[in-house]
Structure formats: C-alpha cells, structure tokens
C-alpha cells in the first residue's frame, strides 16, 4: 500500500456546540479508531447540499467504521444563529454529528478556503486527504476502504459505537415546506419538502385534504400513494390546470394530474448535471441540477436551476429542455441571457413582460425581459454584500431570498428568507420597503383576495397576512461576508490547484483536456493579468499593486477515469469547485496560492 502524507488533525472546536450527539461534546479522542470525514459546510450553499447527498451512501455502507462530522461554518449572519443550524440539520436530514462553529475557529485551524471542503482523518488522528467541492464521494470511499484494511491489520480500527444520536421527530402536517400555489377551487398545494411529498390544504391553510406522494424519499412515478419525491421545492400551475413540480434532490421536473393525483416525470434522469453534460435535448434524457422553482412564462416552463446557477426552460410541446440564461459561473453579471451570471436562483414569478428571480446567493432581486431576454438586477450588488436596508433600490439590501411573488399593483413581494421578512420592491418608484417581519425563514408566498399567504418554512406552516398600507419600519443593517483574507504580495502570484486522481484512476485526455481552470476577480482591476479560462491547473497571476484588497474567483474542474486497460468502458468522475478567496496585498507576503481540489499540498 502506497505511503501517504499525514498531518495531525486539529481539535474540533465551535462556540455553538454539538448537534445530533444527544448533548455530548465530542473530541477527536472520542473518535480515535474511526475513519473520520470532516465536512465543512454551510446550509445556504447548494454545493454543500449536493455533498450531503453524495455522502449518504458512503455513510450507510461504512457506518460501522466511519464517522462523518459536519462542521457548520456560516457565510450569512442568519447562519450563525444556533437554532437556524439546528433547523438546517433537521431540514436536510443530516444523520451524523454536526459542530456549530459560528466564529469559523475550526475552519481556520484546518486552513479551509471554500464551501464545501472534506477532510479525511485516519483512525490514529492524522489528516490524510482533503477535497474541495463536489464529486469526491467515490475517491473518499476508496480511501476509507484502504484505511479500514490498513488499520484493521494494525489493530487501530474500532468498530461500532457511533456517536450519532438522532433527534426526536416532531409531528405536524408540514415539515420545512418549500413553495405553494393556490388551486382554482381555493385550496393550496404545498411542496412539503421535509415529508418528500405534496400536500393539498383547505382554504384555511391548515386542514389536510390529501397527500400526493408516499412520504418516503425516492424517485418513482405512479398513483398519489405510490409516487415518490425527494425534497420538492417549487410548484407552478400549467395552462391546462395541472401542476409542474421542481423535485429538487431528484434533479427532475414532475407533472401532477390534479384530478387523479397521478405523478409522471417530465424532465431529468435522476442524475445531477455535471460540466460537459448536454444542456439541451429530449427532456427525459438530459440531466438537471437541483431545480428549485418553476414558473410558466412566455409559453414555456422556466426553471430556476440552482445547482448550475442558470435558468433553463422546458417546452411541453416538444418535450425538450434547454438553457435559457446563465453560464454556470456564479456571481452577479447582467446583460444578454447567454452572458449573465446567477448565484443559486431559487424563486420565480412571472408577469406578462418580465420573469422575476430571487437570486439567493447574491441576495438579489433580478428579472429577465420577455422581449429582449436581457437580464437586469433590481436589488443587490453581489456575492458578499447583504443585510436588511430599505429605501432606494440601488442601496437596499436583502439576505438570501428564496421566493418572489407579483402583487396586484405590479410591485413584487420578496420572501427575504434569512431576514425572516417579507419585502416589497416597487418598479415604478424604485423603492424597497418591508411588509412584515418575524416570519421564520419564509420561502414563498401566494396572493389571496388582497391578502398574502406566506410559507413560513422553519415554522412548518402557512401564515395569512393583510397586505399593509404602510411599510414596517426596520432598523437598517448591512453586512459583508467575513472570512479571513489571505495576505499575498503584489505582482506575480503563482496559483496552483492541487489535484491527485483517486487510487485506481488517472486523468484521461483521450477525448480532450481533462482539466479546466477559470479565473476572475472582484474588483476586476485586482488582476492585471491571468484572467480567463485554460486547461492547466497552474497559472501565474499578476496582482495590481494599486488595488489593496479584493476577491479572487477561481473555478476548477478535473475528470478522472479508471486506470485499468482491462476495463472496456472505464468509469469516469468529475471533480469541481468554485473558490472565492479574499486577498489582501501586503509587501513581502506569500507569492504562491495553493488550492486543494483533491489530495494534499505536498
């Protein structure tokens, strides 16, 4: 067995304490004898949610020898609230211990630079591998198998005795609901995400009329009691009176016949879309990636494809899908649809002329013009600025909004999720105001007879409110994502993305380059040279000495395939990650920036 680099793992420390341990505070000593995967995540991050799902099979297969430990490391202010982390652990069915680290203490000790990052610790307490981004489950599975064999032989492997203690289940008709639509008869259809089903509620918003879906996580069509969903989020009424569902974790669009309750699949394969996969074609043959909401606009179903930071469309006449806007780059860039950047679009609402978008990771309200297909931003400035501030839209702030609803007067209500508020943007005046506060993680809303029914996701209910004539006065708050800046020297900076293929695999360039690196910066003037895309994972950047600080945006992808000539059809895997690295220019500081995609920086 090949030798591997080992570094003693730092202790796991977090001011918020432990979740899913039955009240016990864990230490690395408690985990000695186990293979440990430390998952640095934050619950706003779609890539982190993808990794949670990637790890489920690994966790189940090696439950006797493997402990996955989540270290929750917040980006937004709301994510530093302990109850919000507790809710997120329950919402996403996390079945392992989670450390709440609101001050990023453990993040800093492990020198983490991005969400998500996975660190593998061997049974003797040494770090043996680090992986950033998605697509590493197979590599970690191979490494865990190696560690099990190695440490069983050494007598240092301990089986059984998992530290995971599941929380008590809470009864209720809804569990972390996503979006809702009002049906023609006056009832509501709600995406009951935590119960993996849809629920029809009476006009009172409480009485259950029927449930569509068995309630078990899965991907199956059929009658209402047979069909299975996986954390459905978005819903839209179609012109024929039926409903289309954004079945988020199944990476699919589903169709519901409201008369019979029968569920069929419209689009998606159940597999997650990866770079270089098809982006158009027969809908049942094209992979999707975490569709979060849907809306009927301009004769098609528009899809908020949160997992790829894009908008897609589904054409019911041809049964095809295609990309409508966005490049897969994460950020806030307006302009023609095929050049615009989004960041986890999560809410959609249509008027005759505009499709409104809640662009969650940029804390922005945006829209696409039907006539020109140009993307515009109404509220929001980018990935790192957020808060709760009303007034002129140019300076107003939101915090990770997930829903958007068109109001009768033509203004737009925003489910300002992490501010626990309902906000309003008036396109005529350019003003932003607050309609209501004390709404626990609102994720969507429906207009009903002059009132508005809000989906309070973290309170597991629908709440009906009068649309106020006057705005609620809220003390303004502005925030910026706080992560420690990396000090680097002005001038030449060597960027090295480290990637070591998993055991038994190799970079396969039979059909072209197996790697890709894209670099940009905020502000753009930070980089004098080195921007753009190329295939090499190493590049010399040149930092402008006139710009003292900023953020380097780095996106890396590597594809590895089975390294065995006896395998006729080798299995290939894509590993990818986006980094936003805050930097501060300091004379005499480091002139090399290493980022680990997979492996160890030797």
């Amino acid at each position: 067995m090949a030798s591997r680099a080992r570094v003693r793992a730092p202790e796991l420390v977090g001011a918020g304490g432990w979740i899913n341990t039955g009240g016990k505070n864990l230490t690395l000593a408690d985990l000695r004898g186990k293979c440990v995967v430390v998952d640095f995540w934050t619950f706003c991050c779609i890539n982190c949610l993808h990794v949670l799902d990637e790890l489920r099979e690994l966790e189940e297969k090696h439950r006797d020898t493997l402990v996955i430990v989540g270290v929750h490391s917040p980006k937004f202010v709301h994510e530093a609230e302990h109850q919000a982390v507790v809710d997120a652990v329950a919402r996403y069915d996390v079945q392992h211990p989670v450390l709440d680290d609101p001050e990023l203490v453990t993040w800093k000790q492990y020198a983490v630079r991005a969400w998500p990052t996975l660190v593998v610790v061997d049974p003797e307490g040494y770090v043996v591998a680090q992986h950033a981004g998605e697509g590493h489950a197979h590599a970690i599975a191979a490494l865990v198998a190696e560690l099990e064999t190695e440490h069983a032989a050494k007598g240092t492997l301990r089986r059984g005795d998992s530290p995971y203690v599941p929380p008590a289940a809470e009864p209720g008709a809804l569990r972390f609901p996503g979006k809702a639509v009002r049906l023609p008869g006056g009832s509501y259809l709600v995406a009951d995400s935590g119960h993996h089903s849809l629920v029809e509620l009476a006009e009172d918003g409480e009485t259950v009329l029927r449930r569509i879906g068995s309630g078990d996580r899965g991907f199956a069509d059929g009658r209402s009691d047979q069909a299975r969903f996986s954390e459905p989020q978005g819903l839209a009424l179609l012109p024929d009176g039926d409903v289309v569902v954004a079945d988020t974790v199944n990476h699919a669009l589903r169709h519901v016949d409201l008369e019979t309750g029968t569920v069929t699949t419209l689009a998606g394969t159940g597999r997650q879309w990866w770079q270089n996969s098809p982006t158009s074609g027969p809908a049942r043959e094209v992979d999707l990636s975490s569709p979060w909401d849907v809306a009927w606009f301009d004769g098609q179903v528009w899809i908020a494809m949160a997992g790829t930071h894009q908008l897609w469309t589904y054409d019911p006449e041809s049964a095809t899908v295609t990309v409508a806007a966005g490049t897969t780059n994460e950020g806030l860039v307006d302009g023609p649809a095929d050049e615009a950047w989004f960041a986890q679009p999560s809410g959609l609402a249509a008027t005759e002329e505009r499709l409104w978008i809640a662009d969650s990771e940029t804390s922005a309200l945006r829209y696409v013009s039907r006539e020109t297909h140009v993307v515009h931003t109404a509220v929001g400035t980018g990935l790192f600025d957020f808060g709760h501030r009303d007034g002129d839209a140019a300076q107003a702030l939101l915090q990770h909004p997930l829903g958007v609803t068109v109001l009768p007067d033509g203004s737009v209500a925003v489910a300002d999720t992490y501010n626990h508020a309902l906000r309003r943007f008036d396109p005529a005046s350019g003003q932003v105001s607050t309609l209501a506060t004390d709404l626990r993680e609102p994720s969507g809303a429906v207009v009903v007879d002059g009132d508005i029914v809000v989906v309070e996701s973290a309170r597991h209910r629908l709440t009906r409110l009068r649309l106020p004539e006057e705005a609620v006065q809220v003390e303004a708050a502005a925030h910026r994502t706080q992560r420690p800046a990396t000090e680097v020297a002005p001038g030449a900076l060597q960027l090295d993305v480290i990637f070591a293929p998993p055991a038994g695999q190799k970079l396969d360039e039979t059909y072209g380059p197996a790697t890709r690196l894209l670099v940009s910066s905020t502000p753009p003037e930070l980089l004098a040279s080195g921007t753009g895309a190329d295939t090499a994972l190493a590049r010399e950047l040149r930092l402008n000495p006139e710009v003292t600080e900023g953020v380097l945006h780095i996106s890396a992808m590597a594809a590895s395939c089975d390294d065995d000539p006896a395998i006729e059809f080798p299995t290939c895997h894509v590993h990818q990650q986006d980094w936003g690295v805050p930097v501060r220019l300091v004379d005499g500081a480091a002139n090399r920036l290493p980022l680990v995609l997979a492996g160890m920086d030797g």
Side-chain angles (χ1 to χ4, degrees):
M1 188 172 297
S3 62
R4 61 176 72 88
R6 300 201 310 172
V7 177
R8 177 64 72 179
E11 191 53 82
L12 302 172
V13 179
W18 288 88
I19 304 166
N20 280 356
T21 64
K24 181 178 179 179
N25 292 323
L26 296 181
T27 66
L28 284 176
D30 297 321
L31 304 176
R32 196 64 48 84
K34 297 286 191 179
C35 304
V36 178
V37 175
V38 184
D39 175 16
F40 291 90
W41 69 296
T42 187
F43 64 78
C44 72
C45 160
I46 193 67
N47 311 92
C48 299
L49 303 185
H50 290 165
V51 166
L52 286 176
D53 289 309
E54 286 179 14
L55 293 176
R56 292 187 197 278
E57 183 179 347
L58 176 70
E59 190 168 34
E60 185 59 38
K61 182 177 180 180
H62 296 273
R63 194 170 288 279
D64 193 41
T65 57
L66 171 69
V67 175
I68 296 176
V69 174
V71 177
H72 188 268
S73 312
K75 171 186 174 181
F76 289 98
V77 169
H78 170 60
E79 294 176 306
E81 299 173 15
H82 182 69
Q83 186 57 49
V85 182
V86 172
D87 288 343
V89 168
R91 178 193 297 272
Y92 298 115
D93 193 24
V94 178
Q95 297 184 13
H96 51 249
V98 173
L99 175 64
D100 180 11
D101 183 21
E103 298 167 354
L104 303 182
V105 173
T106 298
W107 166 289
K108 296 171 187 175
Q109 287 297 310
Y110 279 78
V112 174
R113 296 183 185 274
W115 300 278
T117 292
L118 300 167
V119 177
V120 182
V121 180
D122 73 13
E124 294 179 294
Y126 289 89
V127 174
V128 293
Q130 180 174 325
H131 303 267
E134 303 179 49
H136 301 294
H138 69 289
I140 294 174
L143 178 54
V144 167
E146 283 187 13
L147 292 173
E148 286 176 339
T149 301
E150 176 184 336
H151 288 272
K154 292 173 64 175
T156 51
L157 185 69
R158 177 165 57 89
R159 296 184 179 275
D161 192 27
S162 169
Y164 169 63
V165 178
E170 296 183 10
L174 300 176
R175 181 171 172 81
F176 299 110
K179 317 287 187 185
V181 293
R182 196 180 191 209
L183 301 181
S187 60
Y188 302 95
L189 191 66
V190 184
D192 191 8
S193 307
H195 287 141
H196 311 294
S197 59
L198 312 179
V199 176
E200 184 177 355
L201 299 179
E203 288 188 74
D204 62 8
E206 298 180 2
T207 305
V208 175
L209 300 179
R210 63 171 166 168
R211 186 173 292 274
I212 299 173
S214 69
D216 296 322
R217 184 192 294 271
F219 189 18
D221 290 342
R223 300 193 317 260
S224 60
D225 60 338
Q226 297 175 325
R228 291 189 176 193
F229 298 89
S230 188
E231 299 180 31
Q233 290 288 342
L235 304 168
L237 278 171
L238 297 173
D240 64 6
D242 287 340
V243 169
V244 61
V245 182
D247 192 6
T248 304
V249 177
N250 278 329
H251 311 295
L253 293 192
R254 317 291 292 279
H255 173 273
V256 179
D257 183 322
L258 287 179
E259 184 175 339
T260 65
T262 300
V263 177
T264 54
T265 299
L266 293 177
T269 63
R271 298 184 301 269
Q272 182 186 340
W273 185 93
W274 291 95
Q275 287 286 353
N276 301 323
S277 298
T279 55
S280 63
R284 292 293 304 274
E285 299 174 13
V286 177
D287 299 340
L288 309 182
S289 185
S290 297
W292 210 274
D293 200 9
V294 281
W296 182 259
F297 177 64
D298 199 21
Q300 299 185 91
V301 176
W302 284 63
I303 309 162
M305 202 71 75
T308 59
H309 314 298
Q310 292 175 307
L311 304 179
W312 289 39
T313 55
Y314 167 75
D315 183 347
E317 290 192 9
S318 62
T320 57
V321 292
T322 191
V323 174
T327 64
T328 77
N329 294 325
E330 183 179 15
L332 192 153
V333 176
D334 289 340
D338 59 351
E339 299 175 8
W341 291 21
F342 297 91
Q344 287 178 219
S346 301
L348 301 176
T351 68
E352 190 66 29
E353 297 301 325
R354 291 179 178 179
L355 180 70
W356 291 96
I357 306 145
D359 200 28
S360 63
E361 279 292 277
T362 55
S363 297
L365 174 65
R366 308 174 72 185
Y367 66 90
V368 177
S369 166
R370 183 186 64 81
E371 183 176 351
T372 64
H373 278 207
V374 171
V375 177
H376 305 266
T377 297
V379 182
T381 60
L383 285 165
F384 303 105
D385 295 294
F386 57 93
H388 191 151
R389 187 162 62 199
D390 290 332
D392 290 339
Q395 55 83 55
L397 294 172
L398 309 170
Q399 186 179 182
H400 198 82
L402 291 180
V404 61
T405 305
V406 178
L407 299 178
D409 65 358
S411 64
V412 180
V414 179
D416 193 4
T417 309
Y418 287 4
N419 280 326
H420 309 301
L422 189 68
R423 311 287 293 283
R424 176 180 179 267
F425 169 67
D426 182 359
S429 66
Q431 294 292 301
V432 175
S433 58
T434 298
L435 297 176
T437 58
D438 191 31
L439 299 167
R440 190 71 184 172
E441 293 190 12
S443 54
V446 182
V447 174
V448 179
D449 301 329
D451 293 348
I452 190 161
V453 176
V454 180
V455 182
E456 283 197 86
S457 189
R459 285 197 176 117
H460 318 291
R461 71 187 189 190
L462 305 188
T463 300
R464 186 163 180 159
L465 306 170
R466 292 292 300 171
L467 281 171
E469 295 182 4
E470 295 185 1
V472 176
Q473 297 301 311
V474 176
E475 184 176 350
H479 305 284
R480 188 167 178 83
T481 300
Q482 295 300 318
R483 282 180 290 159
T486 299
E487 293 189 349
V488 293
L493 176 69
Q494 179 62 36
L495 170 64
D496 291 322
V497 175
I498 292 91
F499 177 75
Q505 297 214 326
K506 66 175 181 178
L507 287 174
D508 188 347
E509 300 188 339
T510 305
Y511 301 104
T515 58
R516 177 177 180 267
L517 182 64
L518 176 68
V519 179
S520 62
S521 68
T522 303
E525 297 77 24
L526 174 63
L527 278 171
S529 65
T531 60
D534 201 350
T535 57
L537 293 181
R539 185 184 304 182
E540 182 177 278
L541 312 179
R542 187 158 292 277
L543 303 178
N544 181 356
E546 301 299 319
V547 180
T548 58
E549 61 180 23
V551 178
L552 294 175
H553 304 287
I554 300 153
S555 177
M557 184 275 289
S560 62
C561 301
D562 291 332
D563 187 13
D564 184 347
I567 299 176
E568 183 178 1
F569 300 105
T571 300
C572 297
H573 300 272
V574 176
H575 317 253
Q576 62 186 46
Q577 173 63 348
D578 297 327
W579 290 270
V581 182
V583 294
R584 181 180 301 113
L585 275 58
V586 177
D587 288 332
N591 58 12
R592 176 176 179 260
L593 178 62
L595 299 174
V596 177
L597 180 59
M600 299 282 282
D601 181 16

